[in-house]
Structures are given as C-alpha cells and as structure tokens.
Amino acid sequence: MTDGENQRQDKIQDQSVEISKLLAEMDQLFDGFGAWLGGQKDAESGGFYYAASSRRIPSGAPDIESTAQALNILERCDWLDAMSTDMKRGCIRFFQSKQEESSGYFYDENPLMREDEVMVARAISYSLNALRKLGGQPLHALPYEAQRAPSYMSSPEDYLTWLKSVELTNSWRGCDRLSTSSVYVKQVEPASRRAEFARTAFNFFANKQDPFTGLWGEGSYYVRISGTFKLHIFYDHFNVPLPREERIYQSILYALRHEEAVDMCYIRNPIHLLSYMKLSIPAEELREIISITMANMKRLLRADGGFSRELSHSPTAPNVAQVKEGEYYPDMPKAVHIGGGEVEGDMNAGTQALLIRSVCYQLAGRMAPPLIKAPMFTVLKNN
C-alpha cells in the first residue's frame, strides 16, 4: 500500500471515529424521551395527545396523526409488543371510532380537519397502518371502495387536470398535495388501470423537476427539499427511484451548509431522502452531514424531554406550519389547532427526531441505535 493510500485510509478511520462520537452525543438527546412520550397517552380515548399543552386548550383532544405517530415511535423503539392487550384494544377502538360510516373517511373531532385535503388523505394512511400494526381492521368500507374518492380520480385525464392545477409556489405544500393523491391511486382496481394513473403522475412529475437542483417547485432550498421529500413518498409507494438523485444530493449539501433549519422537518427530510436514495456518501461528507444534523436537533430539544417542531415553539396547528411567516401559498386550509404553541415537546417533532437518529446510524453503516432507557412502560401500564 502506498503512502497516499495509507493516508487516505487513516483519514477514513478518523472520520469513522468522529462519526461514532457524534452518534453517541445524539443518543444523549433522548435521555428523557420515553418519559415524555408516556405523558402524552390518554387512557380514556386510547389515543395520544400532540403535546402536553393539548390537554389544556378548549379544542384539545388526542388526534389521528399524533396517535399514529406515537405508535410509530413505540414500534421503532421495540416497545410495541410490550403494550398490554387492553392498551392495544384501546388504540384500535380509537382509530375505528374515527371512521365515518357514510363516507369511509377517518376524521378528528375538529370539523376544520375535514376541510384540509392533505390531512384527510393522510388520515386514511395513518389509520390503516396503525390498525394493521395493532391487529385491527376498519369497521367500514374505505372511500374508494365506496366510490367516494375525490372526483379527480374519475379518469387518468381528470387526474392529470387536477395535477396541473396544484400550485407549486411553495414546493412543500404543493408537493404534499400531489403526493397524498397516491393514497387514492393505490386503491384503483384493476392493476392495469392503477398503472395508468401512476404513469400519468410520473410523467407529470418528470416534466416539473428542475434538472439543475433535482428539486420541484419554488421556495428556499429547505422548502424545495421538503417538497421533494413529500414527492418521494409517491415514488416509494410504487417502488420507483427518484430521478436525478445526484443533483438532489448536491442540493441537500447546499441547504445543510448555507440555510438555517428552523423546523424539525428541515432536519428530517434531507436525512430521510438520503436513506431512500442509497447513494455512496464520502466519509468526510457523511461526518459533516451528521454533525450538522445533530447540532440542529439539539436546538429543538426541550426541557420536558421531547422535541419541538419549530425553533421558537411547537406550532399550534402543524397542518399549516409548512408555510412560514413571509411565505405564501394560495387557498391554504384553516388552521387545525391541536396544541397550545408552547416551548415544549410535540409528537410531530418527536417521531421525526427518533427517525433521524435511526437513519443517521443506518447511513453510517452502524448497527441499530441502542435502546432508549426510560420509564415509559411504567407510565403506560399505569394508564
């Protein structure tokens, strides 16, 4: 081995040691996380609150997204199997109670939730996945089965017209709208017709992608990366790779180096995209990515052991938190308030923080992160 090769191997080894130190420091951010999660459980409904302040606001109640996110956390921490039978049954009843018999949709108590197409579509996925994990089933026919899918699903032509109507002035919100339509596309039968809808979407997406950045729509790099992350969910549902992955990677590096991550989503979305794309990342750049990611997460850690969605506080209505102050998106839905907007941990940020940690370990080629030590099982069992 030449001197140059020896030096290169030594540098890679140094980077590996630094990465291990960063991951250990990231682990420490979760010391109080389990206890925080246990505190969000609602024994009466079987669901989970978004944040501690949710219990104190007039419209506060356990909601579909927060409860599904809590179950995702339990599963990621290998705590799901340790749930008592009664607790699992309570969660199953919670999701079943949210399904409206006449339409097949899943709705929260807040009537404004019904007016947000993204929340409505996402509630179907969240509820079905949660019921599957718990061994439950929906009580009624799903919207597509009951012929109550959105009107744009009448034909591939109508679907294309709708796709073209979606505004991308804010990539994050616009791509979220585009991506959530996959909930309905996946339900189309027969498979040949489903493929027509999917092909319509992928052709449309290809025409809208920026060939230089690899991103979609308008906004800051973090906003466009977040939109690209939302759109990758559509690609993933049909096992199709994202086009121009190398360009997307360079855009991610630029955002990490030059923009402030004011939202936990801005920390999670780049990391999640990297895990999906499965690119070969140089050791030095991987160390830099994990270092910036960990530093950004630390800024969102709160005294209660959880993480806030935003730097200033946990947003009261995460359904409209995609569009920040000074940004614009037409016809935004009304805010669905599920928290008190305090400087506190919230379920939206918590599930993302835990995923970020897991993905960082994965990108570094390490084994699964160590289990989080917390008294959350005692808290949950007492409920």
Side-chain angles (χ1 to χ4, degrees):
M1 188 178 291
T2 65
D3 289 344
E5 289 172 333
N6 282 329
Q7 290 176 358
R8 185 172 65 85
Q9 289 299 320
D10 288 344
K11 190 172 183 179
I12 291 174
Q13 180 60 33
D14 290 343
Q15 297 290 347
S16 179
V17 171
E18 288 300 313
I19 288 173
S20 295
K21 291 179 180 178
L22 288 168
L23 292 175
E25 188 173 350
M26 188 180 291
D27 290 340
Q28 295 174 8
L29 302 182
F30 293 85
D31 285 349
F33 186 74
W36 169 82
L37 177 67
Q40 310 318 309
K41 181 71 174 65
D42 179 56
E44 184 176 351
S45 70
F48 283 78
Y49 285 96
Y50 166 73
S53 65
S54 303
R55 298 176 183 270
R56 300 190 293 272
I57 64 174
S59 59
D63 63 280
I64 292 171
E65 290 198 11
S66 296
T67 303
Q69 288 166 349
L71 290 174
N72 288 342
I73 291 171
L74 290 167
E75 184 177 45
R76 189 170 294 280
C77 291
D78 290 330
W79 292 331
L80 195 59
D81 290 341
M83 288 172 60
S84 68
T85 300
D86 285 346
M87 183 176 169
K88 288 182 179 179
R89 287 174 178 166
C91 285
I92 290 172
R93 287 194 299 271
F94 173 84
F95 286 103
Q96 289 176 335
S97 71
K98 298 299 181 180
Q99 189 181 25
E100 185 179 74
E101 182 176 2
S102 61
S103 69
Y105 284 97
F106 294 81
Y107 294 123
D108 284 318
E109 294 177 19
N110 190 328
L112 294 178
M113 180 262 191
R114 296 169 178 249
E115 301 177 19
D116 186 335
E117 63 180 328
V118 171
M119 289 189 76
V120 170
R122 199 154 51 198
I124 297 172
S125 293
Y126 270 131
S127 299
L128 293 181
N129 288 334
L131 288 169
R132 174 184 52 78
K133 290 174 186 177
L134 297 166
Q137 296 288 335
L139 297 181
H140 314 293
L142 298 174
Y144 201 89
E145 295 169 348
Q147 301 300 311
R148 296 188 183 92
S151 59
Y152 62 71
M153 292 299 297
S154 299
S155 69
E157 293 75 23
D158 288 340
Y159 183 43
L160 178 59
T161 299
W162 177 80
L163 291 170
K164 290 179 178 178
S165 75
V166 174
E167 184 67 60
L168 293 176
T169 48
N170 180 289
S171 172
W172 193 4
R173 179 67 186 182
C175 287
D176 201 5
R177 293 182 63 199
L178 295 175
S179 184
T180 51
S181 67
S182 67
V183 171
Y184 307 112
V185 175
K186 287 195 311 179
Q187 297 177 42
V188 174
E189 295 292 348
S192 59
R193 184 165 174 77
R194 186 187 318 135
E196 285 186 63
F197 278 89
R199 194 159 47 244
T200 298
F202 289 128
N203 289 339
F204 174 80
F205 299 156
N207 290 330
K208 288 291 186 179
Q209 187 181 27
D210 182 341
F212 177 73
T213 64
L215 308 177
W216 279 266
E218 301 175 32
S220 68
Y221 268 83
Y222 270 134
V223 168
R224 284 178 286 159
I225 287 168
S226 296
T228 300
F229 165 75
K230 290 295 184 181
L231 214 52
H232 111 273
I233 297 171
F234 197 117
Y235 281 84
D236 192 32
H237 281 165
F238 293 92
N239 297 312
V240 175
L242 278 170
R244 299 188 174 99
E245 289 185 336
E246 183 57 39
R247 300 309 307 168
I248 295 172
Y249 175 67
Q250 293 302 323
S251 294
I252 288 173
L253 287 181
Y254 182 88
L256 290 171
R257 291 166 175 167
H258 299 287
E259 293 191 352
E260 183 180 33
V262 298
D263 190 306
M264 182 64 83
C265 297
Y266 292 169
I267 307 171
R268 175 267 184 98
N269 295 343
I271 288 291
H272 204 153
L273 275 174
L274 290 176
S275 71
Y276 173 75
M277 296 191 295
K278 296 180 172 59
L279 300 174
S280 178
I281 303 175
E284 186 170 353
E285 290 181 357
L286 180 59
R287 182 207 59 77
E288 180 186 13
I289 289 168
I290 294 177
S291 176
I292 294 171
T293 297
M294 195 275 295
N296 287 335
M297 288 174 65
K298 187 181 293 186
R299 299 178 72 194
L300 292 169
L301 177 63
R302 300 309 183 204
D304 61 9
F307 295 83
S308 279
R309 165 77 183 270
E310 294 182 348
L311 278 176
S312 56
H313 56 74
S314 287
T316 65
N319 74 305
V320 294
Q322 290 173 320
V323 180
K324 307 299 184 188
E325 185 176 354
E327 299 174 353
Y328 171 74
Y329 190 84
D331 301 321
M332 281 292 288
K334 294 178 182 177
V336 180
H337 297 287
I338 58 175
E342 299 179 9
V343 181
E344 60 183 338
D346 65 70
M347 198 67 71
N348 192 304
T351 188
Q352 295 192 71
L354 201 64
L355 175 64
I356 292 166
R357 174 176 178 253
S358 177
V359 171
C360 284
Y361 268 82
Q362 174 192 327
L363 292 173
R366 304 300 200 271
M367 297 179 65
L371 296 177
I372 296 172
K373 296 179 181 179
M376 67 92 54
F377 284 128
T378 301
V379 175
L380 293 179
K381 285 180 179 177
N382 286 342
N383 281 343

